[in-house]
Each structure stands twice: as structure tokens, then as C-alpha cells.
Amino acid sequence: MDCIFCKIVAGEIPSTKVYEDDRVLAFRDIAPQAPTHILVIPKEHIPSFACITEENAPLAAHVLAVAAKIAHDEGLEEGGYRIVSNCGENAGQTVPHLHFHILGGRKMTIEMA
Ligand code: AMP
């Protein structure tokens, strides 16, 4: 599988891990856009948010629950934080493996674009 995030899951590409279990991995973004910028991904290769189905939704829900726990553990709750999943070309998705960005530690801009 020629996927950067699958290679990170396999340990073939190094990452700064912040959380791991049997289904989910979270690591720090290599080009942080905020003081705290973490990516949370399912270990299973799901290409994008558009590929979430009733069948894999329990896994996606677990990824989100882990994201909430990490945000808590990173101390982001008090100031607030943003969860982003870019889906497809117009959204600027660059890695075709489902991931949720956790962005925190600064005031986010209000714009959605
Ligand atoms: P997106 O543009 O929404 O697909 O997000 C992909 C994110 O992956 C970007 O924020 C990149 O900085 C990040 N990224 C790409 N390669 C790596 C890597 N090897 N380790 C950590 N983050 C990465």
C-alpha cells in the first residue's frame, strides 16, 4: 500500500506518536498549523471522510472518541480547539487516508474556508 499514513502505522516512516491502540494511531503533524496540531487516524486504510459507511462507522466513532480524549489530555478543552477532516481536492486533502486534525493552542479564524 503506497500510503504515507499506512507506512506510519507500519512503523516504516517515523512519527511522534501521542496515542496508539489496536485500531487508532495519533501523531503530531509534521508541519504544524497551530501550537498543538495532532492527526488522529484509523489504522485501517479508509481513503477519506466520504468513505465512512454504516459498516465502518463504529471505527470512525472510536477515532473521534480518541480525538476528544487527546484534546482533553493535551489541555485544549479550556481554550477550545478545532477538529478538521479535509475531504477531496477542493478541501485540500493531501493524504488519501482518513484523518482528523486536532488544532489548538491559539485562536482559530472564524472562516470555514
Ligand atoms: P490534509 O492536507 O488534510 O490531507 O492533511 C495531511 C496532513 O498530513 C498535513 O497537515 C501534513 O502536514 C501532514 N503530514 C504529511 N506527512 C506527514 C508525516 N510524515 N508525519 C506527520 N504529518 C504528516
Side-chain angles (χ1 to χ4, degrees):
M1 172 71 71
D2 192 23
C3 165
I4 297 171
F5 288 177
C6 283
K7 287 180 178 167
I8 287 176
V9 169
E12 293 164 16
I13 293 176
S15 68
T16 307
K17 290 180 192 175
V18 297
Y19 176 92
E20 182 170 19
D21 67 23
D22 58 329
R23 290 176 288 163
V24 172
L25 180 66
F27 51 95
R28 299 204 185 269
D29 197 291
I30 204 167
Q33 304 296 311
T36 301
H37 188 171
I38 294 166
L39 301 172
V40 191
I41 71 171
K43 289 187 171 179
E44 178 186 324
H45 184 82
I46 296 172
S48 79
F49 190 88
C51 298
I52 295 175
T53 62
E54 290 294 342
E55 199 173 43
N56 63 26
L59 172 58
H62 179 57
V63 173
L64 287 172
V66 165
K69 176 179 164 33
I70 291 169
H72 173 81
D73 292 349
E74 292 277 323
L76 299 178
E77 264 175 23
E78 190 180 347
Y81 59 93
R82 181 168 285 172
I83 301 292
V84 173
S85 187
N86 294 317
C87 180
E89 194 181 336
N90 280 353
Q93 183 179 4
T94 58
V95 178
H97 182 128
L98 177 64
H99 51 283
F100 293 91
H101 299 255
I102 303 173
L103 295 153
R106 68 164 167 83
K107 185 99 175 152
M108 298 293 141
T109 55
I110 298 301
E111 294 79 34
M112 286 303 201

